[in-house]
Amino acid sequence: MVEGVRLVEEALHSPWRTECFVYTPQVIQSRRGAGLLEAAMSKGVEVFQVPDSIMAELADTETPQGVLAVLWQPDYTLADVLPPGQPPLVVVVDGVQDPGNLGTIIRSADAAGAGGVVLLKGTVDLYNPKTLRSTMGSLFHLPVVTAEDVTGALAYLASVGVTLVVGNPAGGEPISHVDLKVPVGFVVGNEGAGPRASVYEYKHRKVTIPMPAGRIPQCGHGHVHHALRSCPAEDIKFSKLPCFAKCHMV
């Protein structure tokens, strides 16, 4: 389930299948809100108008914007994150626990033109409401795959020529010295522990972002966010409504 004008708007204009669209009378008084209703109806989506009291029960946020949508989760595979015809840029997330951090990583990957994001087992739930909000709609722009088989996922990436790029606080190669025009997978490790040891069993390069004297070298989320920005790819809990009862909600 996604809620809020921005996320619902992105969802309705994406390839994701929308099961139902729920709105309050007030939200469609605005041009943008009316546009959402029109878009949902044009796609053949079931639409339901509800009072504010019901919307408050359905929504996850404390102050709902008066619109939400229930979507079917797409069934992406690892092959989907490797676009044909160009060297792949993939982000591999290993054990990140904060949903806001995960959303920011997906948003950064989208902005950089990455082919997709791979979430290794142990990473926070992609469909955590805070994660969804933090993606700001980027989740609908690129494939995100959850890989329960960590060894299989890493082996697959290696088999198609992807080199893992792992942030290191100090001692790694300067990021500016690394050729990012070849197939690469930026690894984002757990906030406290970093990436698991098995990551280093595959072809990889340790990189560091040089910092001014006296500053702590960057690694982890800041490292990858900076690198992705500077190196783009080309170089529910209720069942009051029918759709809530019959579909697997996001």
Side-chain angles (χ1 to χ4, degrees):
M1 183 186 77
V2 295
E3 59 178 291
V5 173
R6 171 67 180 273
L7 279 182
V8 172
E9 190 172 59
E10 294 283 355
L12 288 173
H13 290 91
S14 78
W16 286 43
R17 177 183 168 189
T18 304
E19 178 69 18
C20 69
F21 173 85
V22 186
Y23 66 97
T24 60
Q26 184 177 357
V27 77
I28 60 170
Q29 298 307 308
S30 70
R31 179 179 299 180
R32 195 173 180 187
L36 292 178
L37 177 59
E38 182 180 351
M41 295 178 69
S42 69
K43 295 181 69 172
V45 176
E46 286 187 283
V47 299
F48 299 92
Q49 179 175 294
V50 299
D52 291 340
S53 58
I54 296 299
M55 180 62 71
E57 290 189 70
L58 296 174
D60 178 72
T61 54
E62 292 185 8
T63 55
Q65 294 182 22
V67 60
L68 59 82
V70 177
L71 312 173
W72 288 84
Q73 300 176 12
D75 188 21
Y76 290 125
T77 68
L78 286 170
D80 292 318
V81 305
L82 301 167
Q86 61 181 1
L89 168 61
V90 180
V91 177
V92 180
V93 185
D94 183 16
V96 168
Q97 295 300 296
D98 184 271
N101 286 341
L102 178 57
T104 299
I105 292 166
I106 294 172
R107 198 166 71 242
S108 298
D110 178 29
V117 179
V118 179
L119 310 182
L120 301 184
K121 183 179 181 179
T123 300
V124 65
D125 182 14
L126 172 62
Y127 299 109
N128 180 295
K130 186 176 180 181
T131 301
L132 294 173
R133 291 194 295 271
S134 296
T135 69
M136 296 292 289
S138 285
L139 177 63
F140 306 118
H141 301 165
L142 76 173
V144 181
V145 180
T146 298
E148 291 294 323
D149 180 0
V150 174
T151 300
L154 294 175
Y156 177 79
L157 293 175
S159 73
V160 295
V162 172
T163 297
L164 301 178
V165 176
V166 188
N168 202 48
E173 301 175 72
I175 187 67
S176 59
H177 293 181
V178 179
D179 183 5
L180 300 178
K181 294 182 180 180
V182 299
V184 295
F186 279 98
V187 178
V188 188
N190 174 270
E191 291 90 342
R196 69 192 72 203
S198 60
V199 165
Y200 299 101
E201 297 174 5
Y202 300 87
K203 185 179 179 182
H204 69 278
R205 298 180 74 168
K206 295 181 180 180
V207 299
T208 298
I209 294 179
M211 299 289 287
R215 303 275 184 88
I216 299 174
Q218 291 191 42
C219 62
H221 312 102
H223 188 129
V224 172
H225 179 67
H226 174 89
L228 289 174
R229 287 181 59 198
S230 60
C231 306
E234 64 268 25
D235 266 88
I236 179 158
K237 53 189 176 183
F238 293 95
S239 56
K240 293 178 182 285
L241 302 176
C243 58
F244 286 85
K246 70 183 180 182
C247 71
H248 187 188
M249 291 174 293
V250 172

